[in-house]
Amino acid sequence: MLMATIFKVAVPPELQAFLPADYARRNLEIIRQRGAVLRELGLKAAFSGKEPAYLPEAVFRAHPDWRGPRCEHPRRSRHAYYSLCIDRPEVLAMYRKAVAEICRVAPVELFTFLTNDSGSGICWSVSLYPGRMGLPGVASVPTPSVWSAS
């Protein structure tokens, strides 16, 4: 994986119809094997990637409420790609399941993510190539309000 995404490693049940399970299983097995070496040495792991990453359009046709911002570069791409809206409780639940699975197989202690480039994006980010966007009520939320919301 050149640029990892959580769902390329652990696919939650809600996305299994849309994502290649064999690819994710192979990636999770690599993490499991490397995690075993780290545990043997008493070390911890870090997971670095991009999130929320774009998903196939079929996901958003089946679940329109999950559609987040357009996250490809509009002048460089032939098609529009969208990431998940992480302000949706059901989307956050999928991330919790997938992260728990990764942490179950390897001693991951740190996650870092690129959130506004390389096919990822957050609705209320001011750094998206096309600008803020997403579902009504999310894209227009002032950034400081979003950060302080719990």
Side-chain angles (χ1 to χ4, degrees):
M1 289 178 295
L2 180 59
M3 180 63 76
T5 71
I6 289 174
F7 298 144
K8 286 183 179 179
V9 175
V11 182
E14 298 88 345
L15 294 176
Q16 287 178 355
F18 307 102
L19 299 176
D22 288 344
Y23 180 71
R25 270 194 292 278
R26 286 192 308 268
N27 290 333
L28 189 61
E29 183 56 30
I30 291 168
I31 289 174
R32 181 188 324 274
Q33 291 169 2
R34 292 178 182 178
V37 172
L38 292 173
R39 281 191 178 104
E40 188 176 305
L41 297 171
L43 300 173
K44 301 289 184 181
F47 184 105
S48 182
K50 61 176 182 175
E51 291 296 342
Y54 70 89
L55 290 176
E57 181 60 26
V59 172
F60 303 117
R61 286 192 191 119
H63 303 280
D65 289 358
W66 296 359
R67 186 184 298 274
R70 186 175 173 181
C71 58
E72 90 295 344
H73 195 299
R75 291 181 304 212
R76 295 186 177 145
S77 179
R78 295 180 184 173
H79 305 284
Y81 294 99
Y82 296 87
S83 66
L84 288 165
C85 179
I86 59 171
D87 289 295
R88 306 295 303 172
E90 55 273 31
V91 170
L92 291 176
M94 288 189 296
Y95 274 107
R96 279 192 293 277
K97 289 177 201 173
V99 167
E101 178 65 9
I102 293 168
C103 291
R104 186 184 68 74
V105 303
V108 178
E109 192 171 85
L110 173 70
F111 285 84
T112 61
F113 300 109
L114 181 61
T115 59
N116 68 338
D117 199 357
S118 300
S120 62
I122 297 175
C123 298
W124 34 264
S125 173
V126 296
S127 300
L128 294 168
Y129 290 116
R132 283 184 175 190
M133 63 180 67
L135 295 172
V138 175
S140 61
V141 173
T143 302
S145 297
V146 174
W147 287 344
S148 64
S150 344

